[in-house]
Amino acid sequence: MRRQRNRTKLSMEDIEFRTTLLGSLKNCLEAADKLNEIYKKTNETLDLILGNQLEIKHTRTEITNIIQTPDSRPEEHKNQVNDLKCEEAKNTQLEKQNEKRIQKCEDSVRSLWDSFKRTNIRIIGVPEDEREQDIENLFEEIMTENFPHLVKEMDLQVQEARRTPNKRNPKRTTPRHIIIKMPRAKDKERILKTARERNSVTYKGIPIRLSADFSTETLQARREWQEIFKVMNTKNLQPRLLYPAKLSFRIEGQIKSFTDKEKLKEFITTKSGLYEMLKGIL
């Protein structure tokens, strides 16, 4: 990192860094407020679902009791059963609506969490040693060892550097990952792009890996594209995984992108060649 020797005067870089830092703190507070709002809405949705489930259970019990009651007034019982079945169908529709609300809440939390991690770099494979309190300088060493030209061209600034999780598990055989939070997403993207082009990244000669930092749900969504990605890559469709978990590829001179497998499945039914290629894995 570039260290300012004369600390009596603030340079433009110092002012820019402090302004960026204050902006990041403001974003964190706004994110916390949004997360709290989502949490409240989720609780309200869950309460509504529980109420609907009790109502559905009551409706089914009534249907069962009517069916099992001696048939003294057949027509009246038949009407009651029909009414209750209509009520049950209505409750089933409510269940589906509630499921959509829950999914929407989960998607909002996932999006918020990914947004919070947007400027993070995850470093995998760095051995754990006595330098746990000096991770920021460790990142500088990795950059100097692998990307010396970037160190010269960029004003490398780090907002936060830490191991994750916070506590070491003695049963864990692999080193904990390092999270580096950059002030700007474009700096993170430039570093990761250079790492991909280099193919091999090391720390004191030990192979390590740099990657983007995603929420658990987004990471799983990206993994689900891997098999399809590999097949498309062998067929020269130029597939790409876009942020946060969108698959993009080129077909018939056009670039298509999809956020989930169901939409891709609908699309390939219109493309016979693509259908034959993916029918075994979709």
Side-chain angles (χ1 to χ4, degrees), residues 48-49 51-60 63 83-101:
L48 182 61
I49 289 171
N52 288 337
Q53 286 177 338
L54 289 173
E55 186 177 345
I56 291 168
K57 185 177 179 180
H58 176 69
T59 300
R60 288 174 176 168
I63 292 174
D83 291 343
L84 289 172
K85 284 183 177 179
C86 290
E87 188 67 26
E88 185 176 19
K90 195 181 296 182
N91 289 336
T92 301
Q93 187 178 3
L94 282 173
E95 274 188 321
K96 291 180 180 179
Q97 290 175 352
N98 290 334
E99 287 174 1
K100 288 182 179 179
R101 289 194 189 101

Side-chain angles (χ1 to χ4, degrees), residues 183-221:
R184 294 175 292 271
K186 66 179 182 179
D187 292 342
K188 178 208 77 171
E189 294 296 342
R190 187 177 179 188
I191 292 170
L192 293 181
K193 182 175 184 292
T194 306
R196 287 193 297 270
E197 292 171 349
R198 181 183 170 88
N199 290 326
S200 174
V201 181
T202 59
Y203 170 65
K204 293 183 178 179
I206 301 172
I208 62 173
R209 187 158 61 90
L210 306 186
S211 73
D213 186 32
F214 298 105
S215 65
T216 304
E217 294 80 8
T218 296
L219 193 59
Q220 180 58 35

Side-chain angles (χ1 to χ4, degrees), residues 246-276:
K246 183 188 294 186
L247 177 69
S248 167
F249 58 92
R250 182 178 292 273
I251 183 170
E252 297 176 355
Q254 294 183 328
I255 295 176
K256 299 292 182 179
S257 58
F258 299 88
T259 54
D260 60 68
K261 288 185 176 181
E262 288 303 316
K263 291 182 179 178
L264 176 59
K265 198 171 184 179
E266 291 176 9
F267 175 75
I268 67 173
T269 58
T270 64
K271 308 291 180 182
S272 58
L274 194 59
Y275 177 81
E276 289 300 320

Side-chain angles (χ1 to χ4, degrees), residues 21 23-35 107-122 159-160 162 164 179-185 188 212-215 218 243-244:
L21 184 59
S24 297
L25 289 173
K26 181 182 176 183
N27 290 338
C28 288
L29 291 173
E30 290 175 352
D33 289 339
K34 289 180 181 178
L35 190 59
D107 290 344
S108 297
V109 172
R110 167 181 154 181
S111 176
L112 184 62
W113 195 231
D114 284 330
S115 177
F116 183 74
K117 291 170 171 276
R118 184 72 188 264
T119 60
N120 289 4
I121 295 175
R122 183 177 287 264
Q159 287 187 347
E160 182 184 354
R162 59 184 173 83
T164 181
I179 301 297
I180 302 294
K181 191 170 191 64
M182 308 293 291
R184 294 175 292 271
K188 178 208 77 171
D213 186 32
F214 298 105
S215 65
T218 296
Y243 185 90

Side-chain angles (χ1 to χ4, degrees), residues 13-252:
E13 291 179 354
D14 290 325
I15 293 172
E16 182 183 354
F17 175 72
R18 295 186 181 191
T19 302
T20 303
L21 184 59
L22 288 173
S24 297
L25 289 173
K26 181 182 176 183
N27 290 338
C28 288
L29 291 173
E30 290 175 352
D33 289 339
K34 289 180 181 178
L35 190 59
N36 188 45
E37 183 180 345
I38 291 170
Y39 176 75
K40 288 180 180 177
K41 288 183 178 179
T42 302
N43 281 339
E44 290 173 359
T45 301
L46 289 174
D47 289 340
L48 182 61
I49 289 171
L50 288 174
N52 288 337
Q53 286 177 338
L54 289 173
E55 186 177 345
I56 291 168
K57 185 177 179 180
H58 176 69
T59 300
R60 288 174 176 168
T61 302
E62 286 187 1
I63 292 174
T64 302
N65 291 338
I66 290 172
I67 292 173
Q68 293 176 349
T69 301
D71 194 9
S72 56
R73 301 174 67 181
E75 191 61 32
E76 183 180 343
H77 288 173
K78 183 179 179 181
N79 291 336
Q80 287 177 340
V81 169
N82 289 336
D83 291 343
L84 289 172
K85 284 183 177 179
C86 290
E87 188 67 26
E88 185 176 19
K90 195 181 296 182
N91 289 336
T92 301
Q93 187 178 3
L94 282 173
E95 274 188 321
K96 291 180 180 179
Q97 290 175 352
N98 290 334
E99 287 174 1
K100 288 182 179 179
R101 289 194 189 101
I102 291 175
Q103 186 62 49
K104 188 176 180 180
C105 288
E106 290 176 348
D107 290 344
S108 297
V109 172
R110 167 181 154 181
S111 176
L112 184 62
W113 195 231
D114 284 330
S115 177
F116 183 74
K117 291 170 171 276
R118 184 72 188 264
T119 60
N120 289 4
I121 295 175
R122 183 177 287 264
I123 307 177
I124 304 166
V126 175
E128 300 196 41
D129 54 24
E130 70 280 358
R131 296 189 56 191
E132 290 305 296
Q133 304 302 319
D134 196 23
I135 294 178
E136 186 174 330
N137 284 334
L138 185 149
F139 176 62
E140 180 184 0
E141 289 180 17
I142 292 172
M143 292 295 298
T144 303
E145 180 177 338
N146 296 276
F147 320 116
H149 64 287
L150 281 186
V151 175
K152 293 178 182 179
E153 294 173 8
M154 297 173 61
D155 178 23
L156 289 176
Q157 298 176 359
V158 174
Q159 287 187 347
E160 182 184 354
R162 59 184 173 83
R163 290 272 188 182
T164 181
N166 294 328
K167 292 184 180 180
R168 185 173 185 177
N169 183 355
K171 295 181 180 179
R172 186 185 180 98
T173 57
T174 57
R176 292 174 295 163
H177 297 177
I178 292 174
I179 301 297
I180 302 294
K181 191 170 191 64
M182 308 293 291
R184 294 175 292 271
K186 66 179 182 179
D187 292 342
K188 178 208 77 171
E189 294 296 342
R190 187 177 179 188
I191 292 170
L192 293 181
K193 182 175 184 292
T194 306
R196 287 193 297 270
E197 292 171 349
R198 181 183 170 88
N199 290 326
S200 174
V201 181
T202 59
Y203 170 65
K204 293 183 178 179
I206 301 172
I208 62 173
R209 187 158 61 90
L210 306 186
S211 73
D213 186 32
F214 298 105
S215 65
T216 304
E217 294 80 8
T218 296
L219 193 59
Q220 180 58 35
R222 290 175 69 88
R223 285 172 180 160
E224 289 177 358
W225 286 121
Q226 288 302 318
E227 192 174 1
I228 295 172
F229 183 95
K230 290 177 183 177
V231 172
M232 288 185 169
N233 202 31
T234 60
K235 301 298 182 181
N236 199 30
L237 294 180
Q238 302 174 25
R240 293 181 61 198
L241 272 179
L242 305 179
Y243 185 90
K246 183 188 294 186
L247 177 69
S248 167
F249 58 92
R250 182 178 292 273
I251 183 170
E252 297 176 355

